[in-house]
Coordinates of all heavy atoms in Angstrom, one line a residue:
M194 N -15.0 -21.7 11.6 CA -13.6 -21.3 11.8 C -12.9 -21.1 10.5 O -12.9 -21.9 9.6 CB -12.9 -22.4 12.6 CG -11.4 -22.1 13.0 SD -11.3 -20.8 14.2 CE -10.5 -21.5 15.5
I195 N -12.3 -19.9 10.3 CA -11.5 -19.6 9.1 C -10.1 -19.6 9.5 O -9.7 -19.0 10.5 CB -12.0 -18.2 8.5 CG1 -13.3 -18.4 8.0 CG2 -11.1 -17.7 7.5 CD1 -14.0 -17.1 7.4
S196 N -9.3 -20.1 8.6 CA -7.8 -20.0 9.0 C -7.1 -19.2 8.1 O -7.3 -19.1 6.8 CB -7.2 -21.5 8.9 OG -6.3 -21.7 7.9
I197 N -6.3 -18.3 8.7 CA -5.5 -17.4 7.9 C -4.0 -17.6 8.1 O -3.6 -17.8 9.4 CB -5.6 -15.9 8.4 CG1 -7.1 -15.5 8.2 CG2 -4.7 -14.9 7.5 CD1 -7.5 -14.1 8.7
Q198 N -3.3 -18.1 7.1 CA -1.9 -18.4 7.2 C -1.1 -17.3 6.6 O -1.3 -16.9 5.4 CB -1.6 -19.7 6.5 CG -2.1 -21.0 7.2 CD -1.8 -22.2 6.4 OE1 -2.4 -22.5 5.5 NE2 -0.7 -22.8 6.8
V199 N -0.2 -16.7 7.4 CA 0.7 -15.6 6.7 C 2.1 -16.2 6.5 O 2.7 -16.7 7.5 CB 0.8 -14.4 7.7 CG1 1.7 -13.4 7.0 CG2 -0.6 -13.7 7.8
C200 N 2.6 -16.2 5.3 CA 3.9 -16.8 5.1 C 5.0 -16.0 5.9 O 5.1 -14.7 5.7 CB 4.2 -16.6 3.6 SG 5.9 -17.3 3.2
V201 N 5.7 -16.7 6.6 CA 6.9 -16.1 7.3 C 8.2 -16.7 6.8 O 9.2 -16.6 7.5 CB 6.7 -16.2 8.9 CG1 5.5 -15.4 9.2 CG2 6.5 -17.7 9.3
G202 N 8.2 -17.1 5.6 CA 9.4 -17.5 4.9 C 10.3 -16.3 4.8 O 10.0 -15.1 4.9
S203 N 11.6 -16.5 4.4 CA 12.6 -15.4 4.4 C 12.1 -14.2 3.5 O 12.3 -13.0 3.8 CB 14.0 -15.8 4.1 OG 14.0 -16.7 3.0
S204 N 11.7 -14.6 2.3 CA 11.4 -13.6 1.3 C 10.2 -12.6 1.8 O 10.3 -11.4 1.8 CB 11.1 -14.1 0.0 OG 10.8 -13.2 -0.9
C205 N 9.2 -13.3 2.3 CA 8.0 -12.6 2.8 C 8.3 -11.9 4.0 O 7.8 -10.8 4.3 CB 6.8 -13.5 2.9 SG 6.1 -14.1 1.3
H206 N 9.2 -12.4 4.9 CA 9.7 -11.8 6.0 C 10.2 -10.4 5.7 O 9.9 -9.3 6.2 CB 10.6 -12.6 6.8 CG 11.2 -11.9 8.0 ND1 10.5 -11.8 9.2 CD2 12.4 -11.4 8.2 CE1 11.3 -11.2 10.0 NE2 12.4 -10.9 9.4
L207 N 11.2 -10.4 4.7 CA 11.8 -9.2 4.2 C 10.8 -8.2 3.6 O 11.0 -6.9 3.7 CB 12.9 -9.5 3.2 CG 14.1 -10.2 3.8 CD1 15.0 -10.6 2.6 CD2 14.8 -9.4 4.7
K208 N 9.7 -8.7 3.1 CA 8.7 -7.8 2.5 C 7.7 -7.3 3.5 O 6.7 -6.7 3.1 CB 8.0 -8.5 1.4 CG 8.9 -8.7 0.2 CD 8.1 -9.3 -0.9 CE 9.0 -9.4 -2.2 NZ 8.3 -10.0 -3.3
G209 N 7.8 -7.7 4.8 CA 7.0 -7.1 5.8 C 5.9 -8.0 6.3 O 4.8 -7.6 6.8
A210 N 6.2 -9.4 6.3 CA 5.1 -10.3 6.8 C 4.7 -10.0 8.3 O 3.5 -10.2 8.6 CB 5.6 -11.7 6.7
H211 N 5.7 -9.6 9.0 CA 5.4 -9.3 10.4 C 4.3 -8.2 10.5 O 3.4 -8.3 11.4 CB 6.6 -8.9 11.1 CG 6.4 -8.6 12.6 ND1 6.3 -9.6 13.5 CD2 6.3 -7.4 13.2 CE1 6.0 -8.9 14.8 NE2 6.1 -7.7 14.6
D212 N 4.4 -7.2 9.8 CA 3.4 -6.1 9.7 C 2.1 -6.6 9.3 O 1.0 -6.1 9.8 CB 3.9 -4.9 9.0 CG 5.2 -4.3 9.6 OD1 5.3 -4.4 10.8 OD2 6.0 -3.7 8.8
V213 N 2.1 -7.5 8.4 CA 0.8 -8.1 7.9 C 0.1 -8.8 9.0 O -1.0 -8.8 9.2 CB 1.1 -9.0 6.6 CG1 -0.1 -9.8 6.3 CG2 1.5 -8.1 5.5
V214 N 0.9 -9.7 9.7 CA 0.4 -10.5 10.8 C -0.2 -9.4 11.9 O -1.3 -9.7 12.3 CB 1.5 -11.2 11.5 CG1 1.0 -11.9 12.9 CG2 2.0 -12.4 10.6
Q215 N 0.6 -8.4 12.2 CA 0.0 -7.4 13.2 C -1.3 -6.8 12.7 O -2.3 -6.6 13.5 CB 1.0 -6.3 13.4 CG 2.3 -6.8 14.1 CD 2.1 -7.5 15.3 OE1 1.2 -7.2 16.2 NE2 2.8 -8.6 15.5
A216 N -1.4 -6.5 11.4 CA -2.6 -5.9 10.8 C -3.8 -6.9 11.0 O -4.9 -6.5 11.4 CB -2.4 -5.5 9.3
F217 N -3.6 -8.2 10.7 CA -4.6 -9.2 10.9 C -5.0 -9.3 12.4 O -6.2 -9.4 12.8 CB -4.2 -10.6 10.4 CG -4.5 -10.7 8.9 CD1 -3.5 -10.9 7.9 CD2 -5.8 -10.7 8.4 CE1 -3.7 -11.0 6.6 CE2 -6.0 -10.9 7.0 CZ -5.0 -10.9 6.1
K218 N -4.0 -9.2 13.3 CA -4.3 -9.3 14.7 C -5.2 -8.2 15.1 O -6.1 -8.4 15.9 CB -3.0 -9.2 15.5 CG -2.2 -10.6 15.6 CD -1.1 -10.5 16.6 CE -0.4 -11.9 16.7 NZ 0.8 -11.7 17.4
R219 N -5.0 -7.0 14.6 CA -5.8 -5.8 14.9 C -7.2 -6.0 14.5 O -8.2 -5.7 15.2 CB -5.2 -4.6 14.3 CG -4.1 -4.0 15.1 CD -3.9 -2.5 14.6 NE -3.4 -2.4 13.2 CZ -2.1 -2.5 12.8 NH1 -1.2 -2.7 13.7 NH2 -1.8 -2.4 11.6
E220 N -7.3 -6.5 13.2 CA -8.7 -6.7 12.6 C -9.5 -7.7 13.5 O -10.6 -7.6 13.8 CB -8.6 -7.3 11.2 CG -8.2 -6.3 10.2 CD -9.0 -5.0 10.0 OE1 -10.3 -5.3 10.1 OE2 -8.5 -4.0 9.9
I221 N -8.8 -8.8 13.8 CA -9.4 -9.9 14.6 C -9.9 -9.5 16.0 O -10.9 -9.7 16.4 CB -8.5 -11.1 14.7 CG1 -8.3 -11.8 13.4 CG2 -9.0 -12.1 15.7 CD1 -7.1 -12.7 13.3
S222 N -8.9 -8.7 16.6 CA -9.3 -8.4 18.0 C -10.4 -7.2 18.1 O -11.2 -7.2 18.9 CB -8.1 -8.0 18.9 OG -7.4 -6.8 18.4
S223 N -10.2 -6.2 17.1 CA -11.2 -5.2 17.1 C -12.6 -5.6 16.8 O -13.5 -5.1 17.2 CB -10.7 -4.0 16.2 OG -10.9 -4.4 14.8
R224 N -12.6 -6.7 16.0 CA -14.0 -7.4 15.7 C -14.4 -8.5 16.6 O -15.3 -9.1 16.4 CB -14.0 -7.7 14.2 CG -14.0 -6.6 13.2 CD -13.7 -7.2 11.9 NE -13.4 -6.2 10.9 CZ -14.3 -5.4 10.3 NH1 -15.6 -5.5 10.5 NH2 -14.0 -4.4 9.5
K225 N -13.5 -8.8 17.6 CA -13.8 -9.8 18.6 C -14.1 -11.2 17.9 O -15.0 -11.9 18.3 CB -14.9 -9.4 19.5 CG -14.6 -8.2 20.3 CD -15.7 -8.0 21.4 CE -15.4 -6.8 22.3 NZ -14.7 -5.7 21.8
L226 N -13.1 -11.4 17.0 CA -13.4 -12.7 16.2 C -12.3 -13.8 16.6 O -12.0 -14.7 15.8 CB -13.3 -12.5 14.7 CG -14.4 -11.7 14.1 CD1 -14.2 -11.3 12.7 CD2 -15.7 -12.5 14.3
D227 N -11.7 -13.6 17.8 CA -10.6 -14.5 18.1 C -11.1 -16.1 18.2 O -10.2 -16.9 17.9 CB -10.2 -14.3 19.6 CG -9.9 -12.8 19.7 OD1 -10.8 -12.0 19.7 OD2 -8.7 -12.4 19.9
Q228 N -12.4 -16.3 18.4 CA -12.9 -17.6 18.5 C -13.2 -18.2 17.0 O -13.4 -19.4 16.8 CB -14.1 -17.8 19.3 CG -14.0 -17.2 20.7 CD -13.0 -18.0 21.5 OE1 -13.0 -19.2 21.4 NE2 -12.1 -17.3 22.2
E229 N -13.3 -17.3 16.1 CA -13.7 -17.8 14.8 C -12.6 -17.7 13.7 O -12.8 -18.2 12.6 CB -14.9 -16.9 14.3 CG -16.2 -17.4 14.9 CD -17.0 -16.2 15.2 OE1 -16.8 -15.4 16.2 OE2 -18.1 -16.1 14.6
V230 N -11.5 -17.0 14.0 CA -10.4 -16.9 13.1 C -9.2 -17.4 13.7 O -8.8 -17.1 14.8 CB -10.2 -15.4 12.6 CG1 -9.0 -15.3 11.6 CG2 -11.5 -14.9 12.0
F231 N -8.5 -18.3 13.0 CA -7.3 -18.9 13.4 C -6.1 -18.4 12.6 O -6.0 -18.6 11.5 CB -7.4 -20.5 13.4 CG -6.1 -21.1 13.9 CD1 -5.8 -21.0 15.2 CD2 -5.3 -21.9 13.0 CE1 -4.6 -21.8 15.7 CE2 -4.2 -22.6 13.4 CZ -3.9 -22.5 14.8
L232 N -5.3 -17.5 13.3 CA -4.2 -16.9 12.5 C -2.9 -17.5 13.0 O -2.6 -17.8 14.0 CB -4.1 -15.4 13.0 CG -3.0 -14.5 12.5 CD1 -3.2 -14.3 11.0 CD2 -3.0 -13.2 13.2
T233 N -2.2 -17.9 11.9 CA -1.0 -18.6 12.1 C 0.1 -18.3 11.1 O -0.2 -17.7 10.1 CB -1.2 -20.1 12.2 OG1 0.0 -20.8 12.4 CG2 -1.7 -20.7 10.8
G234 N 1.3 -18.6 11.3 CA 2.4 -18.5 10.3 C 2.5 -19.6 9.4 O 2.0 -20.8 9.8
A235 N 3.1 -19.5 8.3 CA 3.2 -20.6 7.3 C 4.7 -20.7 6.8 O 5.3 -19.5 6.6 CB 2.2 -20.6 6.2
F236 N 5.2 -21.7 6.5 CA 6.5 -21.7 5.8 C 6.2 -21.2 4.3 O 5.1 -21.1 3.9 CB 7.0 -23.1 5.8 CG 7.5 -23.5 7.2 CD1 6.9 -24.6 7.8 CD2 8.4 -22.7 7.8 CE1 7.2 -24.9 9.2 CE2 8.8 -23.1 9.2 CZ 8.2 -24.1 9.8
C237 N 7.3 -21.1 3.6 CA 7.2 -20.5 2.3 C 6.1 -21.2 1.4 O 6.0 -22.4 1.3 CB 8.5 -20.8 1.6 SG 8.5 -20.2 -0.2
L238 N 5.2 -20.3 0.9 CA 4.1 -20.8 0.1 C 4.4 -20.9 -1.4 O 3.5 -21.1 -2.2 CB 2.8 -19.8 0.3 CG 2.3 -19.8 1.8 CD1 1.3 -18.8 1.9 CD2 1.7 -21.2 2.1
G239 N 5.7 -20.8 -1.7 CA 6.1 -21.0 -3.1 C 6.0 -19.8 -4.0 O 6.2 -20.0 -5.2
R240 N 5.5 -18.7 -3.6 CA 5.4 -17.6 -4.5 C 6.1 -16.3 -3.9 O 5.6 -15.3 -3.9 CB 3.9 -17.2 -4.6 CG 3.0 -18.3 -5.2 CD 3.4 -18.6 -6.6 NE 3.0 -17.4 -7.5 CZ 1.8 -17.3 -8.1 NH1 0.9 -18.1 -7.8 NH2 1.6 -16.2 -8.8
C241 N 7.4 -16.6 -3.6 CA 8.2 -15.6 -2.9 C 8.2 -14.2 -3.6 O 8.2 -13.1 -3.1 CB 9.6 -16.0 -2.8 SG 9.7 -17.7 -2.1
I242 N 8.3 -14.3 -5.0 CA 8.4 -13.1 -5.7 C 7.2 -12.2 -5.6 O 7.3 -11.0 -5.7 CB 8.7 -13.4 -7.3 CG1 10.0 -13.9 -7.4 CG2 8.5 -12.1 -8.1 CD1 10.4 -14.5 -8.7
D243 N 6.0 -12.8 -5.4 CA 4.9 -12.1 -5.3 C 4.4 -11.8 -3.8 O 3.1 -11.4 -3.6 CB 3.7 -12.9 -6.0 CG 4.1 -13.2 -7.5 OD1 4.4 -12.2 -8.1 OD2 3.9 -14.3 -7.9
G244 N 5.2 -12.0 -2.9 CA 4.9 -11.8 -1.5 C 4.5 -10.3 -1.0 O 4.7 -9.5 -1.9
V245 N 4.0 -10.2 0.1 CA 3.7 -11.2 1.1 C 2.5 -12.1 0.7 O 1.5 -11.6 0.3 CB 3.3 -10.5 2.4 CG1 3.0 -11.5 3.5 CG2 4.5 -9.6 2.8
S246 N 2.8 -13.5 0.9 CA 1.8 -14.4 0.5 C 1.0 -14.8 1.6 O 1.6 -15.0 2.7 CB 2.5 -15.6 -0.2 OG 3.4 -15.3 -1.2
I247 N -0.2 -15.0 1.5 CA -1.1 -15.5 2.6 C -2.0 -16.6 2.1 O -2.3 -16.7 0.9 CB -1.9 -14.5 3.3 CG1 -2.9 -13.9 2.5 CG2 -1.0 -13.3 3.8 CD1 -4.1 -13.1 3.2
K248 N -2.6 -17.3 2.9 CA -3.6 -18.3 2.5 C -4.8 -18.1 3.5 O -4.6 -18.1 4.7 CB -3.1 -19.7 2.7 CG -2.9 -20.4 1.4 CD -2.4 -21.8 1.7 CE -2.7 -22.7 0.5 NZ -2.3 -24.1 0.7
I249 N -6.0 -17.9 3.0 CA -7.2 -18.0 3.8 C -7.9 -19.2 3.4 O -8.4 -19.4 2.3 CB -8.1 -16.6 3.5 CG1 -7.3 -15.4 4.0 CG2 -9.4 -16.8 4.3 CD1 -7.9 -14.1 3.9
D250 N -8.1 -20.1 4.4 CA -8.5 -21.5 4.1 C -7.6 -21.9 3.0 O -6.4 -21.9 3.2 CB -10.0 -21.6 3.8 CG -10.7 -21.4 5.2 OD1 -10.1 -21.6 6.3 OD2 -11.9 -21.0 5.1
D251 N -8.1 -22.4 1.8 CA -7.3 -22.9 0.8 C -6.9 -21.9 -0.3 O -6.4 -22.3 -1.4 CB -8.0 -24.1 0.1 CG -7.9 -25.3 1.1 OD1 -6.9 -25.4 1.8 OD2 -8.9 -26.1 1.1
E252 N -7.3 -20.7 0.0 CA -7.2 -19.7 -1.2 C -5.9 -18.9 -1.0 O -5.7 -18.2 0.1 CB -8.3 -18.7 -1.2 CG -8.3 -17.7 -2.4 CD -9.4 -16.7 -2.3 OE1 -10.1 -16.7 -1.3 OE2 -9.5 -15.9 -3.2
L253 N -5.0 -18.9 -2.0 CA -3.7 -18.2 -1.9 C -4.0 -16.7 -2.3 O -4.6 -16.4 -3.4 CB -2.7 -18.9 -2.9 CG -1.3 -18.5 -2.9 CD1 -0.7 -18.7 -1.4 CD2 -0.5 -19.3 -3.9
I254 N -3.5 -15.8 -1.5 CA -3.6 -14.4 -1.9 C -2.2 -13.7 -1.9 O -1.5 -14.0 -0.9 CB -4.5 -13.6 -0.9 CG1 -6.0 -14.2 -0.9 CG2 -4.7 -12.2 -1.3 CD1 -6.9 -13.7 0.2
L255 N -1.9 -13.1 -2.9 CA -0.5 -12.6 -3.1 C -0.4 -11.1 -3.0 O -1.4 -10.4 -3.2 CB 0.0 -13.0 -4.4 CG 0.0 -14.6 -4.7 CD1 0.3 -14.9 -6.2 CD2 1.0 -15.3 -3.7
G256 N 0.9 -10.6 -2.7 CA 1.1 -9.2 -2.7 C 0.4 -8.4 -1.6 O -0.1 -7.3 -1.7
V257 N 0.2 -9.2 -0.4 CA -0.6 -8.5 0.7 C 0.3 -7.5 1.4 O 1.6 -7.7 1.7 CB -1.0 -9.6 1.7 CG1 -1.7 -9.0 2.8 CG2 -1.9 -10.6 0.9
T258 N -0.2 -6.3 1.7 CA 0.4 -5.3 2.6 C -0.4 -5.0 3.7 O -1.6 -5.4 3.7 CB 0.6 -4.0 1.8 OG1 -0.7 -3.5 1.4 CG2 1.4 -4.3 0.4
P259 N 0.2 -4.4 4.7 CA -0.7 -4.1 6.0 C -1.9 -3.2 5.5 O -3.0 -3.3 6.1 CB 0.3 -3.3 6.9 CG 1.6 -3.8 6.5 CD 1.6 -4.1 5.0
E260 N -1.6 -2.4 4.5 CA -2.7 -1.5 4.0 C -3.8 -2.3 3.3 O -5.0 -1.8 3.4 CB -2.1 -0.5 3.0 CG -1.2 0.6 3.6 CD 0.2 -0.1 4.0 OE1 0.6 -0.9 3.4 OE2 0.9 0.5 5.0
S261 N -3.5 -3.4 2.7 CA -4.6 -4.1 2.1 C -5.3 -5.1 3.0 O -6.3 -5.7 2.6 CB -4.0 -4.9 0.8 OG -3.2 -5.9 1.2
V262 N -4.7 -5.3 4.1 CA -5.4 -6.2 5.1 C -6.9 -5.9 5.4 O -7.7 -6.8 5.4 CB -4.5 -6.4 6.4 CG1 -5.3 -7.1 7.5 CG2 -3.3 -7.2 6.0
P263 N -7.2 -4.7 5.7 CA -8.6 -4.4 6.2 C -9.6 -4.8 5.1 O -10.7 -5.5 5.4 CB -8.7 -3.0 6.5 CG -7.3 -2.6 6.9 CD -6.4 -3.5 6.0
E264 N -9.3 -4.5 3.9 CA -10.2 -4.9 2.8 C -10.3 -6.4 2.5 O -11.4 -7.0 2.4 CB -9.8 -4.3 1.5 CG -11.0 -4.4 0.5 CD -10.5 -3.7 -0.9 OE1 -9.5 -2.8 -0.9 OE2 -11.0 -4.1 -2.0
I265 N -9.1 -7.1 2.6 CA -9.1 -8.5 2.5 C -9.9 -9.2 3.6 O -10.7 -10.1 3.4 CB -7.6 -9.0 2.5 CG1 -6.9 -8.6 1.2 CG2 -7.6 -10.6 2.6 CD1 -5.4 -8.9 1.2
F266 N -9.7 -8.7 4.8 CA -10.4 -9.2 5.9 C -11.9 -9.1 5.9 O -12.6 -10.0 6.1 CB -9.9 -8.5 7.2 CG -10.2 -9.3 8.5 CD1 -9.3 -10.3 8.9 CD2 -11.3 -8.9 9.3 CE1 -9.7 -11.1 10.0 CE2 -11.6 -9.6 10.4 CZ -10.8 -10.7 10.9
L267 N -12.3 -7.9 5.4 CA -13.7 -7.7 5.3 C -14.3 -8.6 4.2 O -15.4 -9.2 4.4 CB -13.8 -6.2 4.9 CG -15.3 -5.6 5.0 CD1 -15.7 -5.6 6.5 CD2 -15.3 -4.2 4.5
N268 N -13.7 -8.7 3.1 CA -14.2 -9.5 1.9 C -14.1 -10.9 2.1 O -15.0 -11.7 1.7 CB -13.5 -9.0 0.6 CG -13.8 -7.6 0.2 OD1 -14.9 -7.1 0.6 ND2 -13.0 -7.1 -0.5
R269 N -13.0 -11.4 2.7 CA -12.8 -12.9 2.7 C -13.1 -13.5 4.1 O -13.1 -14.7 4.2 CB -11.4 -13.2 2.4 CG -10.8 -12.5 1.1 CD -11.5 -13.0 -0.1 NE -11.0 -12.2 -1.2 CZ -10.1 -12.6 -2.1 NH1 -9.6 -13.7 -2.1 NH2 -9.9 -11.8 -3.2
V270 N -13.2 -12.7 5.1 CA -13.5 -13.2 6.4 C -14.8 -12.8 7.0 O -15.6 -13.5 7.3 CB -12.3 -12.9 7.3 CG1 -12.6 -13.4 8.8 CG2 -10.9 -13.4 6.8
V271 N -14.9 -11.5 7.1 CA -16.1 -11.0 7.9 C -17.3 -11.4 7.0 O -18.3 -11.8 7.6 CB -16.0 -9.5 8.0 CG1 -17.3 -8.9 8.6 CG2 -14.8 -9.1 8.9
S272 N -17.4 -11.2 5.7 CA -18.5 -11.4 4.9 C -18.9 -12.9 4.9 O -20.0 -13.3 4.9 CB -18.4 -10.8 3.5 OG -17.3 -11.5 2.9
V273 N -17.8 -13.7 5.0 CA -18.0 -15.2 5.0 C -18.6 -15.6 6.3 O -19.5 -16.5 6.4 CB -16.7 -16.0 4.8 CG1 -16.8 -17.4 4.9 CG2 -16.2 -15.6 3.4
L274 N -18.2 -15.0 7.4 CA -18.7 -15.3 8.7 C -20.1 -14.7 9.0 O -20.7 -14.9 10.0 CB -17.7 -14.8 9.8 CG -16.4 -15.6 10.0 CD1 -15.5 -14.9 10.9 CD2 -16.6 -17.0 10.3
G275 N -20.5 -13.9 8.1 CA -21.9 -13.3 8.2 C -21.9 -12.0 9.0 O -22.9 -11.6 9.6
G276 N -20.7 -11.4 9.2 CA -20.7 -10.2 10.0 C -21.0 -9.0 9.2 O -20.9 -7.9 9.4
Ligands
FES1376 S1 8.8 -16.7 1.4 FE1 6.7 -16.3 1.3 S2 6.2 -17.4 -0.6 FE2 8.2 -17.9 -0.3

């Protein structure tokens, strides 16, 4: 199980955190990984200026946009799960 936390603090919210969440949801459902990926929101991850901030397991990733989600998902989730 891999956990993805998307910061939904106010700064990241303004930078489009909701769209980032939707982009991850699309990746998870199109690859049928609902049982293997746990997507959740997080409170401010402390890097507001560099948002949208996310955490995949314990790794902090900054400056995430909906456009960058597919590549992040492929490299940090799908490849780790052996897909
Ligand atoms: S609001 Fe997202 S890192 Fe602070």
Side-chain angles (χ1 to χ4, degrees):
M194 182 68 117
I195 290 181
S196 114
I197 302 175
Q198 292 178 275
V199 178
C200 176
V201 292
S203 49
S204 175
C205 288
H206 176 75
L207 289 174
K208 289 182 175 178
H211 179 76
D212 294 333
V213 169
V214 170
Q215 294 307 315
F217 274 115
K218 279 188 179 166
R219 279 197 297 275
E220 293 294 322
I221 292 166
S222 69
S223 71
R224 292 171 190 276
K225 300 192 175 21
L226 291 173
D227 311 66
Q228 303 299 316
E229 279 145 289
V230 181
F231 182 61
L232 178 66
T233 182
F236 293 115
C237 178
L238 295 173
R240 297 293 297 271
C241 312
I242 291 171
D243 302 315
V245 173
S246 312
I247 71 167
K248 251 182 158 184
I249 297 185
D250 289 337
D251 288 329
E252 184 185 6
L253 190 59
I254 302 171
L255 304 170
V257 178
T258 64
E260 292 72 28
S261 67
V262 163
E264 192 182 337
I265 291 170
F266 196 81
L267 198 61
N268 292 335
R269 312 290 173 106
V270 178
V271 177
S272 61
V273 173
L274 289 171

